[in-house]
């Protein structure tokens, strides 16, 4: 007999459903790492998860560079530190507060991966003619896949974007047209933050979802949420 609700037939078992939502909820942008290593077979699984991300026009714009050379790591660390100082100055009255934050773990994480948008992306017109930034959106999906898979494997990951793209491109020998978008710190951690680190440090807080979802047009509150909904869990 055909099911009256075919969606039920496609759902994962409840235990697996809960695991997916748990990985999403407990994923953290990690800055503190415990050294150690990531087994090659685990790293391959994580990169395979990233490579199964959706991409506009199936362009697959992501490129990953694994960085194991200690000297190169230090050079990238120096690039990030320079941008950290410049970012702090740009923040004005929050400069000192920002400088007290730990913003990266390039020297502590077991693995360091640079993520770049590929060269030759202009030839991909499908889905990008009016929204060329969809290459970045696609690569971000790959990073999120990797992040969630890492959390499920018990590994922490942090996305570092404090850098001058030209400096990173030169250090990594990127071809013309390629563009670095992330330095990913990956590896074992002592503990996962109970809440996002920047929320824990009172730098920012998660907005209530009800304030970010509209019906029909911008600014019209959605009837998905009761009017009393004002706080989202961390």
């Amino acid at each position: 007999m055909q099911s009256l609700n075919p969606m039920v037939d496609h759902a994962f078992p409840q235990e697996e459903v809960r695991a997916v939502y748990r990985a999403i909820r407990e994923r953290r942008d990690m800055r503190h790492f415990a050294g150690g290593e990531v087994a090659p077979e685990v790293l391959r699984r994580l990169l395979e998860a990233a490579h199964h991300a959706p991409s506009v026009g199936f362009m697959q714009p992501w490129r990953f560079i694994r960085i194991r050379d200690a000297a190169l790591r230090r050079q990238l660390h120096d690039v990030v530190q320079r941008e950290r100082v410049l970012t702090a100055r740009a923040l004005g009255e929050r400069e000192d507060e920002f400088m007290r934050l730990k913003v990266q773990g390039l020297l502590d994480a077991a693995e360091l991966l640079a993520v770049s948008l590929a060269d030759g992306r202009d030839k991909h017109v499908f889905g990008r003619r009016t929204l060329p930034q969809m290459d970045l959106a696609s690569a971000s999906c790959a990073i999120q896949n990797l992040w969630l898979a890492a959390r499920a494997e018990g590994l922490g990951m942090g996305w570092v974007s404090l850098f001058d793209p030209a400096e990173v491109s030169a250090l990594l020998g990127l071809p013309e047209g390629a563009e670095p978008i992330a330095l990913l710190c990956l590896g074992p951690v002592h503990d996962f933050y109970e809440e996002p680190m920047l929320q824990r440090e009172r730098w920012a807080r998660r907005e209530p979802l009800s304030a970010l979802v509209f019906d029909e047009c911008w600014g019209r509150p959605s009837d998905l949420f009761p009017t009393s909904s004002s706080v989202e869990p961390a």
Side-chain angles (χ1 to χ4, degrees):
M1 179 181 296
Q2 186 175 5
S3 171
L4 296 178
N5 185 0
M7 291 186 65
V8 173
D9 296 339
H10 299 297
F12 291 175
Q14 278 302 302
E15 183 178 353
E16 296 178 15
V17 171
R18 286 192 293 270
V20 171
Y21 282 100
R22 180 185 174 189
I24 292 170
R25 284 237 175 226
E26 295 186 11
R27 179 211 59 81
R28 293 288 181 263
D29 193 359
M30 299 300 296
R31 303 305 187 200
H32 302 82
F33 293 86
E37 61 182 22
V38 178
E41 62 272 17
V42 174
L43 186 55
R44 284 193 292 269
R45 283 201 299 269
L46 299 182
L47 291 170
E48 189 73 25
H51 191 47
H52 275 77
S55 64
V56 171
F58 206 44
M59 75 176 81
Q60 303 161 78
W62 44 78
R63 299 294 184 270
F64 296 91
I65 301 176
R66 186 184 180 197
I67 298 162
R68 290 181 286 177
D69 182 78
L72 180 54
R73 275 205 192 198
R74 285 193 294 271
Q75 288 177 296
L76 290 168
H77 175 268
D78 291 343
V79 169
V80 170
Q81 287 297 96
R82 285 194 292 272
E83 178 55 34
R84 181 188 184 203
V85 172
L86 294 174
T87 296
R89 291 174 184 168
L91 287 168
E93 63 183 19
R94 301 194 79 178
E95 176 178 355
D96 291 342
E97 184 182 356
F98 177 78
M99 288 301 291
R100 288 194 292 271
L101 294 175
K102 183 173 175 58
V103 298
Q104 52 84 13
L106 269 70
L107 300 181
D108 308 321
E111 293 280 346
L112 179 61
L113 300 171
V115 185
S116 175
L117 299 177
D119 58 337
R121 302 188 310 283
D122 290 345
K123 69 182 181 183
H124 293 279
V125 177
F126 186 176
R128 295 187 66 240
R129 192 182 69 80
T130 58
L131 293 171
Q133 66 270 32
M134 294 310 291
D135 53 4
L136 176 59
S138 299
S140 297
C141 288
I143 292 172
Q144 177 77 336
N145 271 16
L146 198 159
W147 221 332
L148 295 176
R151 180 62 189 90
E153 297 273 6
L155 298 172
M157 193 179 100
W159 181 340
V160 179
S161 59
L162 290 169
F163 55 78
D164 181 329
E167 286 190 85
V168 171
S169 295
L171 285 173
L172 300 180
L174 298 189
E176 184 177 355
E179 181 182 350
I181 60 170
L183 295 172
L184 303 181
C185 306
L186 174 69
V189 295
H190 294 294
D191 294 292
F192 285 91
Y193 312 138
E194 292 186 4
E195 59 181 330
M197 191 194 77
L198 292 182
Q199 182 166 285
R200 185 186 68 181
E201 298 295 334
R202 303 298 179 255
W203 180 266
R205 63 182 294 276
R206 191 184 302 279
E207 294 291 334
L209 180 59
S210 58
L212 309 178
V213 180
F214 309 135
D215 281 351
E216 315 305 343
C217 64
W218 186 280
R220 180 183 294 173
S222 175
D223 61 15
L224 282 171
F225 307 98
T227 55
S228 61
S229 177
S230 59
V231 179
E232 281 290 302

